[in-house]
Amino acid sequence: MIDAIRRWRDETGETHALGVARVVLGLLLLENALRAGDALRRGYFGDVFHWPIVPEALVPSRAAYAALLVAQGVLAGLVVVGLRARPALFASAALGAYLLLCDRLQFHHNRWAMDCYAVLLSLSPCDRRYALGSRARDEARVGPLWAARLAQVQVSIIYLASGGSKFFDPDWRDGRVLATRMALYGGNAIAAGVPRGIVAWLGDPGVASGLSKLAIATELFLAVGLWIRRTRPFALWWGVWFHLTIEATSRVEGFTWLTLAMYGLFATPDAHARRLTYDPASPFQRGVARAVAGLDWLARFRIEPALTAGVAGGGIVVFDRDGQPRTGLRALVGIVRATPLLFPAWWPLSGLARARTLLRLPTTPPRVRSG
């Protein structure tokens, strides 16, 4: 046990995922500050009924509150661009927690989760990638990952707490909460492009009951499945669609994008372990290579022209960690699996590729016994 704790403490790895998580978190912190500023223009919470946890004397005045929101916006900007990002993250979390303590009516689980992730990322080398003035040396790509692992634990804690509380709540298990949510926010889903018929179907009591049980099972599965190597790819894919569905049908502020950003921390921290080769004479293949390079936020691929890589053939070839070449649809599956923006299409494409492989397997003629 002690050796396992030491390995966890001393683990190091590539830091691109930490940089991506920091940028997304900074944007969400900025959006939260702007949303609070817009609410302040309509009225200051301290002038109406509020419910502070701290003594009333510690609740800021309107002018002080406005100054704190400006400070939050400035800190969020520093987080996004990567200047003094780690102290800015910690200060953002401290200010956010303080303001939540000033009025528990403003408490939302996603806001508290954002502050928790901000603290944990402030303890990590999240400023070594996607940051102004970040060091370009190869050794700077690698850093300690113990804080990233704590952020992963936080993801599982949220799933376990959410799924467990729903499991012990009969209104959730029976679908009444979900049906009420669809009645309240179904208009938002329709405005976002969800067909009206689907919204009505989701609000049906029988459907809502089944989906509630599926949501509970999903959260409890994700709390564990994200940690198991064999189930992790499917858990990530299922979790992406789970949160995108919630985003389309409910009001969860930025919790969807916050959680998906933290999903990147579950990616194996081995930059450029995959390789993509292309024919430089083909404009189409050059375009694909540029697109993959632009979307490769986690630095999964080393992209090379086939002529200099010594690879035979004129098509796009993807080499996974095992070194085996993959072409055609299987190459596309390899690209989609390792590219965050395309990842939602991974599992269906993977199933299609397997089906095509099975259909192309040669059949062995039956043996004829000699009588």
Side-chain angles (χ1 to χ4, degrees):
M1 176 64 72
I2 298 299
D3 290 339
I5 293 175
R6 287 174 177 168
R7 287 195 300 271
W8 172 81
R9 180 197 64 189
D10 299 333
E11 181 186 7
T12 60
E14 214 283 328
T15 57
H16 265 90
L18 284 166
V20 172
R22 188 206 77 241
V23 171
V24 175
L25 180 55
L27 291 172
L28 292 174
L29 289 168
L30 180 60
E31 192 270 340
N32 184 66
L34 293 175
R35 183 175 57 250
D38 183 64
L40 178 61
R41 283 192 290 271
R42 297 193 300 270
Y44 171 50
F45 76 88
D47 293 336
V48 295
F49 175 76
H50 57 285
W51 193 1
I53 299 175
V54 299
E56 182 66 34
L58 296 180
V59 176
S61 65
R62 181 187 181 96
Y65 179 63
L68 290 176
L69 294 184
V70 172
Q72 282 189 316
V74 172
L75 290 170
L78 293 175
V79 171
V80 172
V81 301
L83 291 176
R84 303 289 183 182
R86 296 173 65 179
L89 278 167
F90 190 87
S92 294
L95 280 179
Y98 164 65
L99 292 177
L100 290 179
L101 291 174
C102 289
D103 184 14
R104 69 181 71 188
L105 298 180
Q106 297 188 44
F107 177 85
H108 292 281
H109 292 96
N110 60 289
R111 297 178 187 177
W112 177 245
M114 189 161 54
D115 293 335
C116 291
Y117 287 130
V119 169
L120 294 173
L121 284 186
S122 73
L123 304 175
S124 73
C126 62
D127 53 353
R128 298 189 181 184
R129 284 291 169 265
Y130 303 113
L132 293 178
S134 61
R135 292 169 294 176
R137 300 193 308 271
D138 290 343
E139 60 268 23
R141 297 176 179 175
V142 177
L145 296 180
W146 61 269
R149 297 294 174 250
L150 289 178
Q152 291 175 281
V153 171
Q154 177 66 29
V155 172
S156 289
I157 289 174
I158 290 174
Y159 281 135
L160 188 61
S162 179
S165 63
K166 292 181 177 71
F167 178 79
F168 290 107
D169 184 346
D171 288 333
W172 244 107
R173 289 200 311 271
D174 295 340
R176 287 188 287 271
V177 173
L178 186 58
T180 301
R181 177 179 294 178
M182 293 308 303
L184 292 174
Y185 302 118
N188 295 338
I190 294 172
V194 179
R196 189 179 299 273
I198 293 180
V199 173
W201 178 75
L202 292 174
D204 180 85
V207 174
S209 176
L211 290 178
S212 294
K213 294 175 177 61
L214 178 61
I216 293 171
T218 292
E219 291 185 322
L220 295 178
F221 162 68
L222 291 174
V224 178
L226 289 170
W227 292 92
I228 303 173
R229 183 176 293 273
R230 293 188 63 180
T231 61
R232 185 180 302 148
F234 177 76
L236 288 170
W237 179 83
W238 186 258
V240 166
W241 279 109
F242 176 66
H243 285 284
L244 290 178
T245 301
I246 294 174
E247 180 69 23
T249 58
S250 304
R251 295 181 59 185
V252 291
E253 294 185 357
F255 185 68
T256 295
W257 317 119
L258 176 65
T259 304
L260 296 186
M262 297 305 145
Y263 272 15
L265 302 181
F266 286 92
T268 304
D270 54 354
H272 307 303
R274 297 170 175 84
R275 188 158 59 102
L276 182 148
T277 64
Y278 64 98
D279 181 0
S282 168
F284 172 75
Q285 293 188 32
R286 291 200 308 271
V288 170
R290 284 195 295 268
V292 172
L295 297 175
D296 189 19
W297 303 333
L298 301 181
R300 316 306 281 164
F301 291 102
R302 187 170 73 253
I303 301 175
E304 303 171 338
L307 296 179
T308 60
V311 179
I316 290 178
V317 183
V318 172
F319 298 83
D320 210 338
R321 294 189 183 95
D322 56 12
Q324 295 296 319
R326 291 166 172 79
T327 59
L329 183 58
R330 295 178 66 219
L332 179 60
V333 170
I335 293 172
V336 168
R337 173 171 175 165
T339 307
L341 195 62
L342 305 178
F343 184 67
W346 163 68
W347 200 69
L349 280 177
S350 179
L352 178 60
R354 290 194 188 97
R356 290 185 61 180
T357 300
L358 291 175
L359 291 174
R360 290 179 179 178
L361 287 177
T363 57
T364 303
R367 295 181 179 180
V368 179
R369 294 183 178 181
S370 56

